[in-house]
Amino acid sequence: MAHHILQISWRGYVSAFLLILAIMNTASAVTHYSIPEEMEERSIVANLAADLELDVKTLNDRKMRIDAVANTKYLDVNTETGELFILARMDREHLCPSKTTTSCFLKLDATIENPIRMFNIEVEIMDINDNAPQFRRSIMHLDISESSSVGERFSLNNAVDPDVGTNSVKNYHLSSSEHFAIEIQTGRDGSKFADLILKKALDREKQAVHNLILTAVDGGIPTHTGTASIIVRVLDINDNAPSFDKESYKINIMENSPVGSLVIKMNATDLDEGSNSDIVYSYSLYTSEKTQNTFSLNPDNGEIRVKEMVNYEHFKIFDMEVIATDKGPISLSGQCKLSVLVTDMNDNHPEMSIKSFQSPIKESVPVGTVIAVISVSDKDSGDNGIVDLHIPNNLPFNLRESSDNYFELVISESLDREKVPEYDITFTVTDRGSPPLSDNLTMALELLDVNDNVPQFSQSFYTIRVMENNAPGALLSSLTAFDPDLHENQYLVYFILDKEIANTSMSMLFSINPENGNLYALKTFDYEIEKEFLFHIEARDSGVPPLSSNVTVHIIIVDQNDNTPVIVSPWRAHGSMVEEKIPRSTDKGSLVAKVIAIDTDSVQNSRITYQFLQVTDATLFSLDQYNGEIRTMRMFSYRDPRHQRLVVVAKDNGEPALSATVTIKLSTVETAVKAYADMTEVPLEYDIFSDLNLYLVIGLGSVSFLLLITILVTIVLKCQQPKPSKAAPASRNSIISERNSTIADSTLVSNDAYWYSLFLAETRKGKLVVRQPVPKGSRYIVSSLPRSTGLTETSDSAASTLQLLDVNDNVPRFPQSFYTIRVMENNAPGSLLSSLTAFDPDLHENQYLVYFILEKEIANTSMSMLFSINPENGNLYALKTFDYEIEKEFLFHIEARDSGVPPLSSNVTVHIIIVDQNDNTPVIVSPWRAHGSVVEEKIPRSTDKGSLVSKVIAIDTDSVHNSRITYQFLQVTDATLFSLDQYNGEIRTMRMFSYRDPRHQRLVVVAKDNGEPALSATVTIKLSTVETAVKAYADMTEVPLEYDIFSDLNLYLVIGLGSVSFLLLITILVTIVLKCQQPKPSKAAPASRNSIISERNSTIADSTLVSNDAYWYSLFLAETRKGKLVVRQPVPKGSRYIVSSLPRSTGLTETSDSAASTLQESTTSSSSST
């Protein structure tokens, strides 16, 4: 069984090898045939057996076969004859649909067995012209505008022919057309397509649609063609204007024709289509407004109808021009003229017209004066048009005819206003028709009074109380006067007689309505700044010449409780807690702290009382409600906590009461020593936007600084006073360790020539005398040697350092003696203006400078309320926004003061100049109008040329350059009728009014200032012409101008400044008293060699320290060679030691003089060497 399996496997491998070998032998041979497409089935292609050199007899046995292509078997082989024949009809376009190549091949594989062989057969299918060209769409629609230009191209769909080569589309033909032609293009793939070209302009009105035939022809034999229809629709453009049947029409109508009756129907035609042919009818600009108001034109159908009554006497002929406009994108129009002739009817009454009528007139007008001119007319013709004019006989007037149809009314008798203030004159006009028609007109003639009465106020003095913090614009009072005259002589205008107080005009604080005398406040008043005002109000009539009188007005500002008490002591930053330290051994009744608050209100409201709001232990402290002193009620016990918290409230006496609180944290300490070295000064933080903080910082800083200076000066003066101590038992050359003790009978030792040039030693008296000024800051070492000690190499010595103290002998100096600082108005509050720094060559506290503003009040306003200076660095700040229109400059002094005892100071003058900006818009004050409304004025229609119509007055509160105002028209109804003076704002007539001028004239005047950029204001004046010249004064209303006045600085710091001045005076007095209590220095002994200077930082070299006191040697070690004094052990704080020195060249005799030098140990020298 196994042998059989191996035999089968071997045969299989041999068969596979032979098959692969056969394939490799036949792979390289390809048999090629070319046949046309569409050959009939069973058609012989070739003898495949002969071409492959195969034996025909063995084809059946060897099973020769042809493989199918794409599941379709187009060719097969006849195994009997070896011929290759067509098995199925072949369409080249189906087999090879792509036209990218002209060749189409069928690749076949012929296979025979025994042995297996494969042959590659390639059959090329040749194309024949069996397809006609076809268009994708048989009908092509094109929309072409008739405005298309000649030569414009339009793309057409190309024809498609499945055949290739010469059998594909070769050419196109277009049917005959005078407007279109085609141009054949060739694509990259060789395909042909045609473009339609416009060769003649189109006209839709002549031919709207063009039908064309496009024929595609291929290149085969015989040729095939395909056609497509091209329908070109010409799109209309609006190129035809509407036209009327006639250019002009004449129509007759009867006057008084009823409204709505048809006059004519206009008809216009347009050859265009759609919206281009839709017509709208309208009047042209040449048709008068009267004609358009008389006849209506229907815009859709062109009907002209009577719109209002037609009157022959008004218009006999109406000429109009009608325009017909189409609705095209760019509309075209045509027009025609139409004349409507009106036929007259006798239907008019006679008329009269007052051409001129002077009313009112003065009662003093002389006899014979013409006061009116009357024109009469009758629109009828013939006798019906002749008219007569009459007036009543009982009047002091006559009528006289001046010319045709014109009559003058003349005064025939003297007039008296007190007897007859007014005349009603009736004019009657009658025509001569049958029956006669008449009309009448009554005119009122008013007699003007002569201005002979002065305005009178009801009081001669007005006292007005105004509560502070009033609203700007609040009504204060109404000050009215009475004038018994009439009209202009009775019309009063009220003014504030300008009076400047502290460079502030009264008109910037108050405003009075010029018509009714209402007095308004223009700003919010502050009782703490302004308490009263006194000025005058003038009432002036409008007569010519005007008469006036005035009255005194006293404004009293009434205080309100509007200022909260401010805690000025103890000072704390931004409401933080105040920390104080007191000895725990403080006795009962001792002053712990004092709360001081100030209130800038009036006396009643500023009374302040103090009380505890919170207290840790109510039994420990008491608070005086009137002076704010906090005192201990008992001594501290061990049970009392170390920290005590006190909250004190300061309440004023106002209604309602206002209050402020301060929190004090008390810490008890075991000793009363105040560590001045630990004190650090924190610069104040100014809050320029609070009411009082900024101003109180300077005052509080000054108080705190002066208080510190007072304490320091007191301590220094106290320490310098010598206190006598008990003398030790007499012993020669010993050192006493008590303060201010001296060492007598010792010898100063020094071989330094420079030392001897500075000092003179008195060995017997133990003194060191200064021979000449010692360099500031120098240090000298004093060495002393006891007389009982020999000058040996092993001798011990002790060194003491003497330092020269600075004397406050230099005044602070500014680099300039006068500062000019320019500040632009509208500055931001708190802005830095300049830095004013001085220099002091002294040292330490003598060099530390504090800057102050020397108080100077301007208009009840302190300089410290306007400016602030940093007391440490001299930076000058503005505390408010300055307004050039209120404050133009300031002059004050800055003082720089050092911290020496006594302090020295110098000052410098500062000149602040406020620079103006153009920040105020001109304000129209005349003619007045409410809230920018239109001003209505009435003027007689008979006004002569050059008459004053109105006057525009504008004010600008800026500086002279910025406040120069010019006037000009912004809009005017008739530029030929009015003129405007650009400098004084007067509007005058340039000619008389004519009947053509409209009754209402609109003038817009702009007032522009001279600033950069310029600001302006406008006023609109509506002028109405009337037949009389009566001026309706009663209709005029004036609203007071509203000024934006920046509030003046108040006097919140008066109390603070008084406190600073008082403390400064106390400081000076205390310093003088303490200075006078100092013991006068004794006269120095006669100059002797080797004296010691007792100033700090001085050294004496090469001398020997002398002492027999054991306690002295336990503290100090003398180094005689080095001239130093060395500390052996810590020295008690505050102790003073007297060092006596003996020169080495001097023997220890009874007569030897000694000089004493005082060494004082500071708090830091107990642990370090000197």
Side-chain angles (χ1 to χ4, degrees):
M1 184 65 181
H3 177 73
H4 180 68
I5 293 173
L6 291 174
Q7 187 176 5
I8 293 176
S9 300
W10 177 78
R11 290 180 180 177
Y13 285 121
V14 172
S15 300
F17 176 77
L18 294 177
L19 178 61
I20 293 171
L21 184 61
I23 292 173
M24 292 179 61
N25 292 332
T26 61
S28 60
V30 178
T31 304
H32 182 80
Y33 299 101
S34 295
I35 61 174
E37 65 174 331
E38 303 294 342
M39 289 183 65
E40 298 292 335
E41 295 180 0
R42 311 303 297 181
S43 298
I44 302 301
V45 175
N47 193 322
L48 182 59
D51 294 336
L52 296 178
E53 298 178 356
L54 299 175
D55 187 1
V56 176
K57 298 177 181 180
T58 63
L59 293 181
N60 278 327
D61 297 335
R62 300 184 67 175
K63 301 179 180 180
M64 186 175 186
R65 62 185 179 274
I66 302 296
D67 295 333
V69 178
N71 298 326
T72 302
K73 194 171 183 179
Y74 293 100
L75 298 172
D76 201 357
V77 64
N78 189 338
T79 56
E80 298 296 334
T81 61
E83 293 175 341
L84 183 66
F85 63 93
I86 302 299
L87 185 62
R89 193 180 187 92
M90 291 181 289
D91 187 356
R92 180 190 180 280
E93 286 74 28
H94 175 71
L95 293 176
C96 300
S98 176
K99 298 184 66 176
T100 56
T101 176
T102 58
S103 301
C104 182
F105 295 94
L106 285 180
K107 294 183 179 181
L108 308 175
D109 291 331
T111 306
I112 58 176
E113 297 179 358
N114 298 321
I116 294 176
R117 294 186 62 186
M118 295 183 67
F119 301 95
N120 293 331
I121 302 173
E122 189 176 76
V123 180
E124 181 180 5
I125 310 301
M126 305 298 294
D127 181 48
I128 63 174
N129 192 21
D130 57 343
N131 293 285
Q134 289 183 351
F135 288 91
R136 293 185 179 89
R137 290 186 296 177
S138 61
I139 300 176
M140 291 181 279
H141 295 274
L142 292 179
D143 292 336
I144 302 176
S145 174
E146 64 178 324
S147 62
S148 299
S149 59
V150 175
E152 189 171 351
R153 294 173 177 268
F154 304 95
S155 297
L156 301 174
N157 292 331
N158 61 327
V160 178
D161 193 333
D163 295 327
V164 297
T166 57
N167 296 327
S168 63
V169 177
K170 293 299 182 183
N171 202 354
Y172 291 91
H173 300 287
L174 183 66
S175 60
S176 176
S177 174
E178 62 175 334
H179 294 280
F180 298 98
I182 61 172
E183 183 177 304
I184 299 173
Q185 305 287 341
T186 302
R188 294 183 178 179
D189 58 353
S191 61
K192 303 289 185 178
F193 58 89
D195 287 343
L196 187 66
I197 299 177
L198 182 64
K199 66 179 183 179
K200 184 179 179 181
L202 301 176
D203 189 349
R204 191 203 63 79
E205 287 72 26
K206 293 181 179 179
Q207 186 175 355
V209 178
H210 295 265
N211 293 311
L212 305 175
I213 301 298
L214 180 64
T215 303
V217 182
D218 62 18
I221 299 175
T223 60
H224 295 282
T225 61
T227 61
S229 296
I230 302 175
I231 301 175
V232 178
R233 187 166 64 92
V234 181
L235 300 180
D236 182 47
I237 62 171
N238 193 22
D239 56 347
N240 291 280
S243 60
F244 290 91
D245 299 336
K246 298 180 181 179
E247 292 184 358
S248 62
Y249 297 86
K250 285 188 178 182
I251 304 297
N252 293 314
I253 65 170
M254 187 67 67
E255 75 168 323
N256 300 327
S257 295
V259 175
S261 59
L262 180 64
V263 178
I264 189 175
K265 181 176 181 181
M266 308 301 296
N267 184 27
T269 58
D270 193 323
L271 298 178
D272 292 322
E273 65 176 359
S275 61
N276 295 331
S277 64
D278 295 338
I279 296 176
V280 177
Y281 298 91
S282 62
Y283 288 120
S284 71
L285 296 176
Y286 297 103
T287 304
S288 67
E289 184 178 354
K290 175 63 178 176
T291 301
Q292 295 184 39
N293 292 334
T294 305
F295 300 97
S296 64
L297 173 61
N298 191 313
D300 297 325
N301 55 25
E303 290 182 353
I304 298 178
R305 296 181 179 272
V306 177
K307 186 177 181 181
E308 63 180 27
M309 192 64 68
V310 180
N311 195 331
Y312 172 82
E313 286 72 26
H314 291 167
F315 285 94
K316 298 178 178 59
I317 301 176
F318 292 90
D319 291 324
M320 61 188 77
E321 188 176 63
V322 179
I323 298 177
T325 306
D326 59 29
K327 296 182 180 179
I330 302 176
S331 60
L332 301 177
S333 61
Q335 62 267 354
C336 74
K337 294 181 179 180
L338 177 63
S339 297
V340 178
L341 306 179
V342 182
T343 303
D344 182 38
M345 291 179 64
N346 188 18
D347 56 348
N348 293 283
H349 288 261
E351 296 179 351
M352 73 180 76
S353 175
I354 306 299
K355 296 300 182 183
S356 176
F357 188 82
Q358 298 183 21
S359 177
I361 63 174
K362 293 182 180 180
E363 59 179 332
S364 59
V365 174
V367 176
T369 302
V370 177
I371 61 173
V373 176
I374 303 96
S375 171
V376 297
S377 63
D378 193 324
K379 296 179 181 178
D380 293 329
S381 58
D383 291 340
N384 295 330
I386 300 174
V387 296
D388 297 314
L389 183 65
H390 307 279
I391 61 172
N393 295 326
N394 60 346
L395 297 178
F397 307 104
N398 287 333
L399 282 173
R400 68 185 180 191
E401 187 173 2
S402 60
S403 61
D404 291 342
N405 297 329
Y406 279 88
F407 294 87
E408 293 178 347
L409 182 64
V410 182
I411 297 176
S412 60
E413 299 176 10
S414 298
L415 304 177
D416 189 351
R417 190 199 67 83
E418 286 71 23
K419 294 181 180 180
V420 181
E422 185 177 4
Y423 292 94
D424 290 331
I425 305 173
T426 301
F427 299 92
T428 303
V429 60
T430 307
D431 64 16
R432 298 180 183 180
S434 180
L437 300 177
S438 63
D439 195 6
N440 58 68
L441 176 65
T442 300
M443 299 294 293
L445 176 63
E446 182 182 0
L447 300 183
L448 289 180
D449 183 42
V450 178
N451 188 24
D452 54 354
N453 293 282
V454 177
Q456 296 177 356
F457 285 92
S458 58
Q459 299 176 221
S460 61
F461 189 88
Y462 288 86
T463 299
I464 304 172
R465 294 182 177 273
V466 179
M467 191 66 69
E468 72 167 333
N469 302 320
N470 59 293
L475 176 64
L476 304 184
S477 182
S478 182
L479 312 176
T480 57
F482 172 72
D483 194 323
D485 291 327
L486 299 177
H487 306 303
E488 297 90 11
N489 299 330
Q490 188 185 36
Y491 178 73
L492 302 182
V493 181
Y494 298 88
F495 304 92
I496 295 177
L497 296 181
D498 225 357
K499 176 183 178 182
E500 286 194 357
I501 298 178
N503 296 328
T504 301
S505 172
M506 285 297 102
S507 60
M508 301 177 68
L509 303 178
F510 304 95
S511 171
I512 190 167
N513 190 317
E515 287 193 343
N516 55 27
N518 287 344
L519 184 64
Y520 299 90
L522 294 181
K523 63 169 283 187
T524 299
F525 295 109
D526 193 340
Y527 173 84
E528 288 70 37
I529 299 178
E530 306 116 338
K531 294 181 174 55
E532 63 179 358
F533 300 94
L534 194 67
F535 54 93
H536 298 280
I537 298 294
E538 178 182 299
R540 183 188 306 164
D541 62 26
S542 301
V544 180
L547 301 178
S548 63
S549 64
N550 58 62
V551 66
T552 303
V553 179
H554 185 202
I555 304 292
I556 299 176
I557 308 301
V558 181
D559 182 49
Q560 282 183 330
N561 188 27
D562 59 341
N563 290 284
T564 304
V566 177
I567 306 294
V568 297
S569 177
W571 180 86
R572 78 281 190 206
H574 297 291
S576 59
M577 184 180 296
V578 178
E579 295 186 359
E580 297 284 350
K581 294 181 179 180
I582 60 174
R584 198 169 182 84
S585 59
T586 301
D587 293 333
K588 173 184 178 180
S590 299
L591 180 65
V592 176
K594 185 173 183 178
V595 179
I596 301 175
I598 61 173
D599 192 322
T600 56
D601 287 323
S602 63
V603 177
Q604 179 68 23
N605 293 326
S606 64
R607 294 176 183 172
I608 297 176
T609 57
Y610 305 86
Q611 64 185 49
F612 280 129
L613 191 61
Q614 294 179 15
V615 60
T616 304
D617 189 346
T619 66
L620 189 57
F621 301 99
S622 66
L623 171 64
D624 192 301
Q625 65 173 336
Y626 298 109
N627 59 21
E629 291 183 350
I630 302 175
R631 296 182 179 272
T632 56
M633 298 174 62
R634 58 176 173 82
M635 293 187 67
F636 287 90
S637 67
Y638 69 93
R639 297 185 183 90
D640 295 324
R642 182 179 180 183
H643 300 289
Q644 300 284 336
R645 184 174 182 269
L646 310 178
V647 180
V648 180
V649 58
K651 186 183 299 183
D652 62 19
N653 197 36
E655 187 63 27
L658 302 178
S659 62
T661 60
V662 61
T663 302
I664 303 174
K665 181 181 179 182
L666 293 178
S667 301
T668 58
V669 294
E670 296 299 329
T671 62
V673 177
K674 192 172 183 74
Y676 289 104
D678 298 334
M679 296 178 62
T680 304
E681 185 171 352
V682 179
L684 298 178
E685 297 182 6
Y686 296 87
D687 187 2
I688 61 173
F689 297 102
S690 65
D691 293 332
L692 292 176
N693 287 351
L694 176 59
Y695 309 117
L696 293 179
V697 163
I698 298 176
L700 293 175
S702 302
V703 172
S704 301
F705 179 75
L706 290 176
L707 181 60
L708 178 62
I709 291 300
T710 303
I711 296 173
L712 291 177
V713 169
T714 304
I715 292 175
V716 171
L717 293 179
K718 277 291 184 182
C719 293
Q720 289 182 351
Q721 294 178 3
K723 293 183 179 179
S725 60
K726 295 181 179 180
S731 63
R732 191 181 181 195
N733 297 331
S734 63
I735 294 180
I736 308 299
S737 62
E738 295 179 9
R739 181 181 301 178
N740 294 328
S741 61
T742 60
I743 300 177
D745 197 16
S746 62
T747 304
L748 294 174
V749 180
S750 178
N751 293 326
D752 192 347
Y754 176 73
W755 190 91
Y756 283 117
S757 67
L758 294 178
F759 308 103
L760 175 63
E762 296 181 8
T763 59
R764 290 291 182 186
K765 299 180 179 180
K767 295 182 179 180
L768 190 66
V769 182
V770 179
R771 290 178 176 271
Q772 59 180 355
V774 181
K776 187 179 298 183
S778 303
R779 295 173 61 89
Y780 298 91
I781 305 300
V782 180
S783 299
S784 63
L785 180 66
R787 293 183 177 179
S788 59
T789 303
L791 301 179
T792 63
E793 294 295 330
T794 60
S795 298
D796 294 333
S797 63
S800 174
T801 301
L802 299 180
Q803 182 176 2
L804 294 182
L805 294 176
D806 178 49
V807 177
N808 189 23
D809 56 350
N810 290 281
V811 176
R813 296 178 182 177
F814 288 90
Q816 299 175 220
S817 61
F818 189 89
Y819 286 85
T820 299
I821 303 173
R822 295 183 177 272
V823 180
M824 189 67 69
E825 72 169 334
N826 302 320
N827 60 294
S831 59
L832 177 63
L833 304 183
S834 181
S835 182
L836 313 175
T837 57
F839 171 74
D840 193 330
D842 292 325
L843 298 177
H844 307 301
E845 54 273 5
N846 298 330
Q847 188 184 34
Y848 179 74
L849 301 181
V850 181
Y851 299 86
F852 304 92
I853 295 178
L854 295 182
E855 283 302 318
K856 177 182 179 182
E857 286 192 353
I858 298 178
N860 297 327
T861 301
S862 171
M863 285 297 103
S864 59
M865 299 176 67
L866 304 177
F867 305 95
S868 171
I869 189 168
N870 191 315
E872 291 187 345
N873 54 26
N875 287 345
L876 184 64
Y877 300 89
L879 294 182
K880 62 168 283 187
T881 299
F882 295 107
D883 192 344
Y884 176 83
E885 288 69 37
I886 299 177
E887 308 118 330
K888 294 181 173 56
E889 63 179 2
F890 301 94
L891 194 67
F892 55 92
H893 299 281
I894 298 294
E895 178 180 292
R897 184 188 305 161
D898 62 26
S899 302
V901 179
L904 301 179
S905 64
S906 63
N907 59 61
V908 65
T909 302
V910 179
H911 186 200
I912 303 292
I913 299 176
I914 308 301
V915 182
D916 182 52
Q917 283 183 329
N918 188 28
D919 57 343
N920 290 283
T921 304
V923 177
I924 305 293
V925 296
S926 178
W928 180 87
R929 78 281 191 207
H931 302 292
S933 59
V934 176
V935 178
E936 294 187 0
E937 298 278 352
K938 294 182 179 180
I939 59 174
R941 197 168 183 86
S942 58
T943 301
D944 294 334
K945 173 183 178 181
S947 298
L948 179 63
V949 175
S950 182
K951 183 173 182 177
V952 179
I953 301 175
I955 61 174
D956 192 328
T957 57
D958 286 322
S959 63
V960 177
H961 184 268
N962 292 328
S963 63
R964 294 176 183 170
I965 296 178
T966 56
Y967 305 85
Q968 63 185 47
F969 278 130
L970 191 62
Q971 295 180 15
V972 59
T973 303
D974 190 348
T976 65
L977 189 54
F978 301 98
S979 65
L980 172 63
D981 192 303
Q982 64 173 337
Y983 299 108
N984 60 22
E986 291 183 350
I987 302 175
R988 295 182 179 273
T989 56
M990 298 173 64
R991 59 175 174 82
M992 292 189 66
F993 287 88
S994 67
Y995 70 93
R996 298 183 182 89
D997 295 324
R999 183 179 179 184
H1000 301 289
Q1001 300 284 337
R1002 185 173 183 270
L1003 311 177
V1004 180
V1005 179
V1006 59
K1008 186 183 297 183
D1009 63 22
N1010 197 36
E1012 185 64 28
L1015 303 177
S1016 62
T1018 60
V1019 59
T1020 302
I1021 303 174
K1022 181 180 179 182
L1023 293 177
S1024 301
T1025 58
V1026 294
E1027 297 298 333
T1028 63
V1030 177
K1031 189 175 183 74
Y1033 289 106
D1035 296 335
M1036 298 177 62
T1037 304
E1038 180 167 1
V1039 172
L1041 299 176
E1042 294 182 2
Y1043 295 91
D1044 183 14
I1045 301 179
F1046 191 88
S1047 301
D1048 294 334
L1049 292 176
N1050 49 40
L1051 298 179
Y1052 288 137
L1053 292 181
V1054 171
I1055 298 176
L1057 295 177
S1059 301
V1060 172
S1061 301
F1062 176 76
L1063 289 175
L1064 180 60
L1065 179 61
I1066 292 299
T1067 303
I1068 296 174
L1069 291 177
V1070 169
T1071 304
I1072 293 174
V1073 170
L1074 293 178
K1075 195 67 176 177
C1076 292
Q1077 290 179 353
Q1078 293 179 2
K1080 297 182 180 180
S1082 60
K1083 295 183 180 180
S1088 62
R1089 195 178 181 190
N1090 297 334
S1091 62
I1092 296 178
I1093 297 177
S1094 60
E1095 295 180 14
R1096 185 170 48 185
N1097 292 332
S1098 61
T1099 61
I1100 300 177
D1102 197 17
S1103 63
T1104 304
L1105 293 173
V1106 181
S1107 178
N1108 292 327
D1109 190 87
Y1111 175 73
W1112 191 94
Y1113 281 116
S1114 67
L1115 294 179
F1116 305 100
L1117 174 64
E1119 295 182 9
T1120 58
R1121 291 296 182 182
K1122 299 181 179 180
K1124 295 181 180 179
L1125 186 66
V1126 182
V1127 178
R1128 291 178 177 270
Q1129 59 182 350
V1131 180
K1133 187 180 298 182
S1135 301
R1136 295 172 59 88
Y1137 298 91
I1138 305 302
V1139 181
S1140 298
S1141 62
L1142 178 67
R1144 292 180 178 178
S1145 59
T1146 304
L1148 303 177
T1149 64
E1150 293 296 330
T1151 60
S1152 300
D1153 293 332
S1154 64
S1157 170
T1158 301
L1159 300 181
Q1160 180 178 359
E1161 296 299 328
S1162 64
T1163 57
T1164 60
S1165 64
S1166 60
S1167 60
S1168 61
S1169 298
T1170 302

